[in-house]
Amino acid sequence: MVLIDEEGTTIQASVLNNRNLLHKFRFSIVEGQIYKFANFEVTPNVNQYRACSHQFKITFTPRTSCADTIATIPTYAYSFFPILEIMKIDFRHPVDKLIDVVAFVKDVGTLDEFCKGNETKKRLRLKLADSENNEVECTLFDNCASDAYMAYLQNTESPVVVLLNLARVGFSEDGTPQVCSSFNATMALFNPSITEVKNLIQSAKDEKSPVMVALSQPKTSQPSQHSNGASLHNQTKVTISQIPEQAIGDSFVIHCQIYKLETKHGWIYDACSKCGSKVKIDDPSWICPLCKKKPDSIEPKMKIHYLVRDQTGSASVIFWDKLDVPLVKKTASELISSLNEKKEKDDDDDDIPKELDLPVGKNLLLKLKMNEFNKKYPTSSISVGQYTICEDLSNQFSEAITESSFEGCSEVKATAESVDAESVTPLVTPLDHSTISDLSQHVTPAPIKGKRRITNKRNVVKDDIPTTSLQSFAGPAEEIVTKVIKQEK
């Protein structure tokens, strides 16, 4: 997590790798909400990629408490890294923290797929520039790439400005620095309604910046070298009535609403556990047509048909298992288990889970691709490549307009306060009201632990307690209870 306090200072926080502890905080902490944390550990922030530049980080332990609170907390706190400084970075001296970048988008490549090991990953390339037309390449991966792809399609403002939150500085094969996404931490926001973006656009217009001249020039039809494909501007946006006119192999985007679940095609199939392909019966056993052999194991996968519509007509689309899981919030195995339990309790013979109706009524952007079968049979179902639920983005942008700041950033707001020192032994020196910046003044890095030694039993008297420790307790020094260090077994 990244926490931000009322001063706008950010600090990295994490939960110990403990099942019960993870379960406790996973459901009690919601991104974007305000909390009061107490009794946490503070250690030096020496990770390979630090989420922020603060010298310390917070670790939640079983003694850490979390409670909702009301406070005046900024909705975001960005620390922008200039593009000119990114261009000067050498791979022998990399940046060891995650950064924020705001820049003009000069070019956007297509969302492509590539194989890494046995996994298929998504990738999106962009070319960014500052107001002086200094350029740097940007590569986003997986969910960040898909989300950025759909958000860019929905953005109608010009010039296009992107804000990358919690990105990292990587290097291409030739050693050139570039901006990359960092696992699931990075978020790409296009033209967010915040002061920094407005000032960037206005200053570029007032000073007649070179980048404004470059953005106003018409783009050539030849794709740029870094995009390895057509620009997203060339992605066809069509209505449902125009789908039959698309050529075989062409990708296109439609804006539609799901209005019906099609049950006649079924919703599940048996798949190879390795590649996910539908297995076939080859007497006397199963065979995977892609692996060309008997699968190691067979697992259920979803293939759900929905009817979608817009103002011009309707069409049938297929959501495959990879897209179905986040759409219906459950896996195929979980749905089968719930169906079986329901049949045992209620004697219900329904073979269609009710969870499949959850997407009905939602507005989506769908990326589709026409194949030969779809061209030959216009009423056939078309496979969905990517999708985004439009309500989520619309709500984020409407909230950003009504409020004076953008609330879609991937930061958790928090206020760190201590508890009564008489009730709990503090891990941090108790203060009336602690802020993140106070940690540098009141907390010292923990010493490196050496090998444990078995010590003789001894009493700790008041004279052995440092003065600073005495002052850290809420009560007077004479009320401190003497502790005993027992010999370890």
Side-chain angles (χ1 to χ4, degrees):
M1 295 166 287
V2 174
L3 310 180
I4 177 174
D5 66 1
E6 64 268 32
E7 295 180 342
T9 307
T10 58
I11 190 169
Q12 184 173 340
S14 59
V15 180
L16 289 175
N17 189 14
N18 178 287
R19 180 178 298 178
N20 295 331
L21 201 59
L22 288 172
H23 181 79
K24 171 186 174 182
F25 288 107
R26 179 177 295 163
F27 300 101
S28 62
I29 298 177
V30 179
E31 183 176 315
Q33 299 299 317
I34 300 177
Y35 300 97
K36 178 175 67 176
F37 299 114
N39 278 16
F40 47 81
E41 290 184 350
V42 179
T43 56
N45 189 10
V46 292
N47 292 350
Q48 181 180 4
Y49 282 110
R50 297 177 293 159
C52 52
S53 57
H54 201 285
Q55 61 177 322
F56 294 105
K57 65 178 179 179
I58 289 175
T59 302
F60 291 175
T61 69
R63 298 171 58 189
T64 302
S65 64
C66 170
D68 295 329
T69 188
I70 299 176
T72 304
I73 303 288
T75 54
Y76 64 89
Y78 300 121
S79 178
F80 295 116
F81 207 95
I83 287 182
L84 187 60
E85 296 299 321
I86 296 176
M87 297 170 61
K88 297 177 182 178
I89 296 174
D90 187 84
F91 68 91
R92 290 168 294 187
H93 303 90
V95 177
D96 61 350
K97 66 176 182 178
L98 301 182
I99 64 173
D100 301 326
V101 177
V102 60
F104 293 98
V105 179
K106 294 192 67 175
D107 194 11
V108 180
T110 185
L111 183 67
D112 58 0
E113 294 184 349
F114 68 99
C115 294
K116 185 176 181 181
N118 295 327
E119 296 181 309
T120 301
K121 295 183 174 292
K122 297 182 178 65
R123 176 174 54 199
L124 179 66
R125 293 186 174 94
L126 305 92
K127 183 180 288 186
L128 310 180
D130 60 11
S131 56
E132 299 301 324
N133 209 21
N134 297 308
E135 296 181 356
V136 67
E137 291 188 2
C138 173
T139 307
L140 307 178
F141 298 96
D142 297 331
N143 291 338
C144 182
S146 301
D147 294 343
Y149 172 89
M150 288 301 185
Y152 178 77
L153 286 179
Q154 282 197 317
N155 183 58
T156 58
E157 299 185 35
S158 181
V160 180
V161 175
V162 65
L163 191 157
L164 296 172
N165 178 225
L166 298 179
R168 67 180 178 89
V169 178
F171 299 91
S172 59
E173 294 180 356
D174 59 356
T176 304
Q178 61 178 347
V179 181
C180 303
S181 58
S182 177
F183 300 101
N184 295 324
T186 307
M187 177 175 286
L189 308 172
F190 290 90
N191 290 86
S193 181
I194 64 173
T195 306
E196 290 84 346
V197 172
K198 295 177 181 178
N199 292 342
L200 176 67
I201 297 175
Q202 191 60 43
S203 62
K205 291 180 178 179
D206 295 342
E207 299 173 5
K208 297 181 179 180
S209 171
V211 71
M212 300 301 293
V213 178
L215 292 174
S216 62
Q217 294 177 352
K219 297 183 180 181
T220 59
S221 58
Q222 182 179 1
S224 60
Q225 181 180 359
H226 86 282
S227 64
N228 290 336
S231 172
L232 270 180
H233 287 294
N234 297 328
Q235 285 285 343
T236 308
K237 303 171 189 175
V238 303
T239 61
I240 290 179
S241 62
Q242 296 173 326
I243 291 178
E245 304 171 6
Q246 307 308 309
I248 297 174
D250 283 355
S251 297
F252 53 92
V253 176
I254 63 171
H255 186 196
C256 60
Q257 181 189 54
I258 297 178
Y259 78 97
K260 186 179 179 182
L261 168 67
E262 292 188 286
T263 59
K264 61 182 179 180
H265 303 288
W267 64 278
I268 200 169
Y269 67 96
D270 294 322
C272 173
S273 60
K274 183 176 181 181
C275 65
S277 300
K278 184 177 181 180
V279 295
K280 297 180 179 180
I281 299 178
D282 186 16
D283 292 335
S285 62
W286 298 89
I287 187 170
C288 175
L290 188 61
C291 300
K292 305 295 183 183
K293 63 177 183 178
K294 182 181 178 180
D296 297 334
S297 61
I298 298 174
E299 60 183 20
K301 296 283 187 181
M302 286 185 283
K303 184 186 74 169
I304 309 177
H305 293 248
Y306 288 105
L307 282 176
V308 299
R309 63 184 177 185
D310 64 5
Q311 66 276 13
T312 65
S314 61
S316 177
V317 297
I318 306 174
F319 286 82
W320 295 90
D321 187 82
K322 198 171 185 179
L323 301 179
D324 287 328
V325 174
L327 195 64
V328 302
K329 312 299 183 186
K330 285 187 178 181
T331 63
S333 300
E334 292 172 343
L335 291 175
I336 293 174
S337 300
S338 61
L339 273 179
N340 293 335
E341 292 177 0
K342 188 175 181 181
K343 288 180 180 180
E344 293 176 358
K345 292 180 180 179
D346 305 331
D347 294 331
D348 192 351
D349 295 332
D350 191 6
D351 293 329
I352 305 298
K354 293 183 178 180
E355 287 83 354
L356 302 189
D357 287 321
L358 290 177
V360 175
K362 293 185 179 293
N363 294 315
L364 295 93
L365 274 179
L366 304 180
K367 180 189 174 185
L368 309 176
K369 188 174 183 179
M370 184 73 70
N371 58 31
E372 294 182 4
F373 187 83
N374 300 137
K375 195 69 176 178
K376 186 176 181 180
Y377 302 97
T379 58
S380 60
S381 301
I382 307 175
S383 296
V384 178
Q386 287 97 25
Y387 76 90
T388 186
I389 300 176
C390 299
E391 287 91 346
D392 295 343
L393 292 174
S394 301
N395 291 339
Q396 290 179 9
F397 281 100
S398 61
E399 290 172 3
I401 294 172
T402 54
E403 300 178 8
S404 61
S405 57
F406 189 80
E407 295 185 354
C409 56
S410 59
E411 294 181 347
V412 181
K413 294 83 185 173
T415 301
E417 294 185 358
S418 59
V419 296
D420 187 1
E422 294 179 350
S423 59
V424 183
T425 303
L427 298 175
V428 180
T429 303
L431 302 172
D432 292 336
H433 182 75
S434 302
T435 61
I436 294 175
S437 58
D438 292 333
L439 295 178
S440 303
Q441 304 173 8
H442 298 278
V443 180
T444 56
I448 300 176
K449 295 182 179 179
K451 187 176 181 181
R452 286 189 175 184
R453 296 180 181 178
I454 299 177
T455 58
N456 295 326
K457 183 176 180 180
R458 70 180 184 92
N459 291 335
V460 179
V461 296
K462 298 174 185 177
D463 295 337
D464 293 332
I465 301 177
T467 306
T468 55
S469 299
L470 292 175
Q471 296 173 352
S472 65
F473 286 88
E478 52 270 19
E479 295 181 5
I480 299 176
V481 180
T482 302
K483 296 182 179 180
V484 177
I485 301 177
K486 297 183 178 179
Q487 183 176 3
E488 296 181 351
K489 293 184 180 180

